[in-house]
């Protein structure tokens, strides 16, 4: 359809009737009406041929002396109408030639009727019967509804022949001639007008119909475009979240009603934030487009849907008969992205190209009555894939799901622990090795469920770090320790363990300063314990916070010395007030090699100038051994178990060695 057609149609509709129509529109109209004209002429010819033969009955009554000849002629012409038109129609000629054939047959029929009737002896009857010639004009102009010019030519021939016949054979009086001539001419004019009017109306109907069709098509195209926009991701061209939800719903209904199993596969681009930061957002968009195209190609080849689920996460929904097939789908997608070879040299792992982690869930493996459960389990499988080193696939399994559910419940508990008073502090005393007096206490965080069940710090602390809530809980611990023990002067000093996540906070030292100021205590009475498992020498933000804490007057202790990354280089580079030797060295002193190592560790730390705390004192022999090696401070169950802040403030609440006066 030519681009200017809507304008042409609008222009044509605005023209008055006497202005010539555009050739382009006329050609389009003729093409659109061609088949209708051919079929219409064919049907009309069959009817006209039959009616012409049937009119022999009238001839039998009015001019029966020529009936036999008339009947044979009528049958011959009827055959011309029917057989001739059918032959032309079947060979596929244009409608114009069929109309010309029918017009010629009509003129022939009229001429034959006049000629045979003129042979009859009943000319008085023919005086009246001659008026039936108008039927032939009506047939041409209205019944056949020929093209206007075809109708003019053929009906003009008939009216001329009719007037010649009247002049030659029916001139019985002026009144008769005038009456018959008036009948013919009025029929001629009226039927031609009807023909012109009908053709004009059909042309107008075509114009309006064509314009309406174009508008409808435009509306449908706009609707389709809007539908595509509403169901297509603008960046990647994949199905968006809405389209994915609809597809998921359809698969889920088939699974529920017909048990047609399927898989949900979630795909996440590994370290995409780092990629964006390194190469820029435009390059990041190009990366997502390339990944999307690779997955879409794989999806088209294997017959499953690929959509963008949000950010750098994608989703696949595919019919699948078993877990092996699900695994094959997931691996196909992983390989399709890996094979792109998109450089990603800033990744923290050993891989240098863009890869994806894939998690999948199979409908037969996941109980429940909601499709959302399937997505949840696929997401958990994706999380397992990330924890397993990325660039791998994981399928949902029940054991993993149970563990994930436990972790999810713990995560919910941690989010509201402070507000619901489910988190608390206990304090384990740190004693002066020589005098046995309490030198301070270490604050230890505890978490309980609403039913009162305790959760091990080894379980909830790593979870809190992964969630990021450790920052909030850590500040709460420092604030609580200052308020519960230091502000009431129960102990000279309190140490609080600090997570690496806290030390990376830009304003951590400022937040600690505010807590100390609010509590109204001296900064040197607070110690921050940093675990040696944290590699800190090259961590600029951590080193900055440590220096600012020391400038503030807060003590900085190194915890678990000898078990982690830090080692002597850390003690050499960073000025610590206290180093806490891990309990494992003390507990190994029951062997000669262990005793020598313990002695060496104490000597090495002593050479740094830091005070020494040995953890894990569980027997009197261990206490004496530490004193023999010149350890400064001791901590362990033999000397005092972790207890609440209230216990420190009550007489007779602690062993005799813990009730001695505190040393500042």
């Amino acid at each position: 359809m030519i681009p200017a057609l809507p304008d042409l149609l609008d222009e044509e509709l605005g023209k008055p009737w006497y202005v010539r129509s555009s050739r382009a529109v006329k050609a389009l109209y003729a093409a659109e009406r061609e088949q209708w004209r051919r079929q219409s002429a064919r049907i009309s010819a069959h009817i006209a041929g039959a009616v012409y033969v049937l009119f022999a009955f009238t001839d039998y009554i009015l001019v029966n002396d020529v009936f036999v000849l008339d009947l044979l002629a009528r049958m011959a012409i009827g055959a011309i109408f029917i057989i001739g038109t059918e032959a032309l129609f079947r060979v596929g000629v244009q409608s114009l030639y069929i109309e010309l054939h029918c017009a010629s047959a009509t003129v022939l029929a009229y001429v034959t009727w006049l000629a045979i009737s003129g042979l009859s002896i009943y000319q008085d009857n023919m005086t009246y019967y001659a008026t039936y010639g108008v039927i032939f004009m009506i047939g041409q102009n209205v019944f056949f509804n020929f093209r206007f010019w075809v109708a003019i030519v053929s009906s003009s021939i008939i009216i001329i022949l009719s007037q010649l016949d009247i002049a030659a054979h029916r001139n019985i009086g002026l009144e008769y001639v005038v009456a018959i001539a008036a009948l013919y001419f009025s029929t001629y004019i009226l039927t031609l007008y009807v023909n012109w009017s009908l053709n004009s109306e059909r042309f107008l109907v075509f114009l309006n119909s064509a314009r309406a069709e174009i508008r409808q098509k435009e509306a449908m195209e706009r609707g389709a475009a809007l539908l595509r926009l509403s169901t297509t991701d603008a960046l990647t061209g994949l199905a968006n979240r809405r389209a994915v939800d609809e597809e998921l719903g359809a698969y889920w209904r088939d699974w529920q009603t017909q048990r047609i199993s399927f898989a949900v596969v979630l795909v996440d681009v590994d370290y995409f934030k780092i990629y964006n930061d390194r190469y820029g957002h435009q390059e990041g968009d190009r990366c997502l487009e390339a990944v999307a195209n690779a997955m879409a190609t794989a999806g088209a080849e294997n017959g499953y849907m690929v959509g963008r689920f949000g950010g750098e996460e994608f989703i696949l929904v595919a019919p699948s008969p078993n877990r092996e097939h699900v695994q094959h789908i997931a691996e196909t997608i992983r390989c399709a992205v890996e094979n792109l070879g998109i450089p990603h040299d800033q990744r923290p792992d050993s891989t240098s190209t863009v890869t994806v982690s894939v998690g999948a869930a199979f409908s037969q493996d996941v109980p429940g009555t909601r499709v959302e459960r399937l997505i949840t389990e696929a997401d958990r499988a994706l999380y397992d894939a990330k924890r397993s080193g990325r660039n791998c696939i994981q399928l949902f399994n029940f054991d993993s799901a149970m563990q994930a559910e436990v972790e999810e419940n713990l995560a919910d508990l941690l989010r509201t622990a402070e507000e619901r008073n489910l988190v608390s502090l206990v304090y384990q005393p740190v004693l002066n090795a020589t005098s046995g007096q309490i030198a301070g206490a270490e604050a230890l965080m505890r978490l309980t469920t609403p039913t009162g069940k305790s959760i091990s710090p080894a379980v909830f602390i790593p979870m809190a770090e992964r969630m990021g809530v450790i920052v909030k809980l850590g500040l709460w611990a420092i604030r609580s320790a200052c308020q519960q023990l230091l502000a009431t002067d129960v102990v000279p000093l309190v140490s609080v363990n600090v997570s690496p996540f806290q030390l990376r906070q830009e304003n951590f030292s400022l937040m600690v300063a505010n807590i100390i100021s609010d509590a109204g205590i001296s900064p040197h009475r607070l110690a921050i314990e940093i675990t040696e498992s944290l590699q800190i020498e090259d961590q600029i933000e951590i080193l900055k916070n440590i220096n600012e804490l020391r400038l503030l007057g807060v003590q900085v202790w190194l915890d678990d010395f000898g078990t982690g990354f830090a080692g002597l280089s850390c003690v050499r580079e960073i000025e610590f007030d206290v180093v806490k030797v891990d309990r494992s060295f003390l507990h190994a002193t029951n062997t000669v090699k262990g005793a020598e190592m313990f002695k060496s560790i104490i000597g090495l730390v002593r050479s740094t100038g830091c005070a020494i705390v040995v953890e894990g004192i569980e027997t009197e022999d261990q206490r004496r051994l530490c004193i023999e090696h010149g350890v400064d401070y001791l901590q362990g169950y033999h000397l005092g178990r972790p207890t609440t802040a209230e216990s420190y403030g009550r007489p007779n609440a602690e062993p005799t060695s813990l009730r001695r006066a505190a040393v500042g």
Side-chain angles (χ1 to χ4, degrees):
M1 189 169 285
I2 56 176
L5 182 58
D7 296 334
L8 284 174
L9 292 174
D10 290 338
E11 181 183 349
E12 201 67 40
L13 285 167
K15 287 180 179 179
W17 65 270
Y18 52 83
V19 176
R20 187 180 180 84
S21 297
S22 137
R23 285 187 178 181
V25 176
K26 277 291 188 181
L28 187 64
Y29 172 66
E32 193 271 340
R33 298 281 292 176
E34 176 63 18
Q35 187 58 33
W36 179 87
R37 284 185 179 278
R38 294 179 74 251
Q39 188 66 37
S40 176
R42 178 193 188 194
I43 294 171
S44 299
H46 283 67
I47 296 173
V51 170
Y52 186 69
V53 174
L54 290 175
F55 252 90
F57 176 74
T58 309
D59 291 340
Y60 177 75
I61 295 174
L62 298 177
V63 287
N64 59 10
D65 58 330
V66 292
F67 173 71
V68 175
L69 179 61
D70 178 73
L71 179 61
L72 292 174
R74 283 184 179 273
M75 292 178 66
I77 293 173
I80 292 173
F81 266 113
I82 297 172
I83 298 174
T85 303
E86 189 67 24
L88 291 172
F89 182 85
R90 289 185 179 277
V91 298
V93 300
Q94 294 181 8
S95 61
L96 173 62
Y97 298 108
I98 298 177
E99 288 187 12
L100 290 174
H101 167 75
C102 291
S104 301
T106 304
V107 172
L108 177 62
Y110 179 65
V111 171
T112 303
W113 172 68
L114 279 181
I116 294 174
S117 298
L119 299 176
S120 174
I121 61 174
Y122 302 108
Q123 291 304 304
D124 289 341
N125 292 344
M126 277 303 297
T127 301
Y128 304 103
Y129 198 23
T131 59
Y132 275 70
V134 298
I135 293 176
F136 293 91
M137 283 193 293
I138 293 172
Q140 288 180 321
N141 298 343
V142 179
F143 178 71
F144 279 103
N145 194 229
F146 295 141
R147 289 170 173 82
F148 188 58
W149 69 268
V150 174
I152 289 177
V153 172
S154 59
S155 60
S156 296
I157 293 172
I158 288 176
I159 197 171
I160 291 171
L161 292 174
S162 69
Q163 299 311 301
L164 291 174
D165 175 68
I166 291 172
H169 304 106
R170 322 287 175 213
N171 192 7
I172 59 176
L174 180 62
E175 295 82 0
Y176 177 83
V177 172
V178 171
I180 297 302
L183 173 63
Y184 270 93
F185 278 101
S186 60
T187 303
Y188 173 76
I189 293 171
L190 288 174
T191 54
L192 281 178
Y193 173 77
V194 170
N195 177 280
W196 174 83
S197 180
L198 287 174
N199 280 309
S200 297
E201 286 298 323
R202 288 193 181 98
F203 184 59
L204 286 174
V205 167
F206 160 74
L207 293 176
N208 285 291
S209 174
R211 193 65 186 96
E213 185 179 341
I214 291 173
R215 288 196 181 99
Q216 183 181 14
K217 185 177 180 181
E218 290 172 347
M220 291 177 63
E221 288 174 350
R222 286 195 297 270
L226 288 173
L227 181 61
R228 285 194 299 272
L229 285 174
S230 67
T231 58
T232 304
D233 177 63
L235 175 64
T236 63
L238 299 178
N240 63 10
R241 188 69 174 265
R242 175 182 174 182
V244 168
D245 288 343
E246 291 178 357
E247 190 79 0
L248 273 171
Y251 273 99
W252 184 254
R253 286 190 294 273
D254 289 343
W255 164 242
Q256 294 293 302
T257 57
Q258 305 175 47
R259 309 311 290 174
I260 301 175
S261 57
F262 70 102
V264 173
V265 183
L266 291 180
V267 182
D268 190 84
V269 181
D270 296 328
Y271 300 110
F272 184 70
K273 184 179 184 302
I274 297 176
Y275 186 94
N276 250 348
D277 294 342
R278 169 67 175 84
Y279 299 104
H281 290 284
Q282 288 185 341
E283 196 62 34
D285 288 347
R286 281 191 281 271
C287 172
L288 290 179
E289 289 182 70
V291 169
N293 289 336
M295 291 192 295
T297 301
E301 293 173 353
N302 295 277
Y304 45 77
M305 175 190 188
V306 183
R308 189 180 182 193
F309 215 48
E312 67 270 24
E313 191 170 70
F314 300 87
I315 185 170
L316 287 77
V317 187
S320 187
N322 49 53
R323 283 177 61 88
E324 290 72 21
H325 186 256
V326 177
Q327 180 124 7
H328 171 71
I329 292 173
E331 182 62 20
T332 299
I333 287 299
R334 189 198 67 78
C335 291
V337 176
E338 185 178 44
N339 291 339
L340 292 174
I342 301 173
H344 188 354
D345 54 16
Q346 295 296 308
R347 290 176 59 139
D349 56 8
S350 59
T351 306
S352 59
T353 58
V354 170
T355 59
V356 292
S357 299
V358 184
F362 184 42
S363 60
Q364 292 185 17
D365 294 340
V366 179
T369 58
R370 294 176 64 86
V371 69
E372 288 79 6
R373 176 72 185 275
L374 201 62
I375 298 173
T376 299
E377 303 308 350
D379 193 51
R380 285 174 173 166
L382 175 61
Y383 180 72
D384 289 343
K386 290 181 179 179
R387 288 198 304 180
S388 300
R390 306 180 191 249
N391 191 25
C392 62
I393 64 173
Q394 289 289 336
L395 266 64
F396 162 80
N397 66 74
F398 188 75
D399 293 338
S400 220
M402 292 296 292
Q403 178 62 31
E405 188 170 352
V406 170
E407 291 184 357
E408 189 173 315
N409 292 336
L410 177 57
D412 290 338
L413 193 67
L414 285 168
R415 290 187 187 96
T416 59
E418 183 180 346
E419 292 79 5
R420 299 167 65 187
N421 295 319
L422 300 176
V423 64
S424 59
L425 292 179
V426 293
Y427 301 91
Q428 186 173 23
V430 177
L431 272 61
N432 186 297
T434 303
S435 66
Q437 293 180 325
I438 296 178
E442 180 183 4
L444 303 170
M445 193 179 298
R446 296 291 183 261
L447 178 68
T448 57
T449 67
T451 60
K453 180 182 177 181
S454 296
I455 300 174
S456 169
V459 173
F460 77 81
I461 293 295
M463 172 65 76
E465 289 179 337
R466 288 199 299 272
M467 294 173 57
V469 298
I470 192 65
V471 175
K472 178 182 176 183
L473 291 177
L475 290 173
W476 171 87
I478 296 172
R479 185 180 301 106
S480 298
C482 291
Q483 293 173 349
Q484 292 174 0
L485 291 190
L486 298 183
T488 55
D489 294 327
V490 175
V491 294
L493 177 143
V494 172
S495 67
V496 182
N497 291 280
V498 171
S499 164
F501 290 90
Q502 290 175 269
L503 284 172
R504 292 192 183 100
Q505 296 294 306
E506 184 177 354
N507 56 349
F508 175 70
S509 57
L510 177 60
M511 290 186 284
V512 172
N514 290 334
I515 291 172
I516 292 172
S517 176
D518 292 341
I521 63 172
S522 175
H524 74 273
R525 296 181 62 195
L526 175 66
I528 297 298
E529 290 195 28
I530 302 170
T531 179
E532 198 214 9
S533 61
L534 175 65
Q535 190 171 2
I536 59 178
E537 292 111 313
D538 57 349
Q539 301 287 325
I540 297 175
E541 197 60 49
I542 292 177
L543 293 174
K544 177 185 175 185
N545 274 318
I546 290 175
N547 291 332
E548 290 178 351
L549 288 170
R550 290 193 58 78
L551 290 174
L552 185 64
V554 175
Q555 295 190 38
V556 180
W557 293 11
L558 181 63
D559 194 15
D560 299 327
F561 180 76
T563 61
F565 295 108
L568 288 174
S569 62
C570 178
V571 179
R572 184 183 67 246
E573 298 296 331
I574 301 172
E575 186 178 355
F576 291 101
D577 296 282
V578 172
V579 172
K580 297 180 76 172
V581 178
D582 187 75
R583 69 186 63 213
S584 61
F585 293 102
L586 176 63
H587 293 175
T589 55
N590 55 352
T591 66
V592 175
K593 183 178 180 180
E596 286 298 323
M597 182 172 289
F598 179 72
K599 180 180 178 182
S600 298
I601 287 287
I602 297 300
L604 286 171
V605 176
R606 176 70 65 196
S607 66
T608 65
C610 300
I612 302 173
V613 175
V614 174
E615 301 176 288
I617 308 297
E618 296 179 358
T619 66
E620 182 62 24
D621 289 340
Q622 290 174 343
R623 185 185 73 82
R624 282 197 295 268
L625 179 63
C626 290
I627 293 174
E628 289 174 6
H629 287 301
V631 172
D632 300 299
Y633 301 100
L634 306 175
Q635 185 179 3
Y637 281 0
H638 179 64
L639 306 175
R641 291 178 175 272
T643 186
T644 62
E646 290 79 3
S647 300
Y648 280 79
R650 292 199 304 269
N652 303 319
E654 309 293 340
T656 303
S657 60
L658 302 183
R659 296 201 304 270
R660 298 172 184 172
V663 175

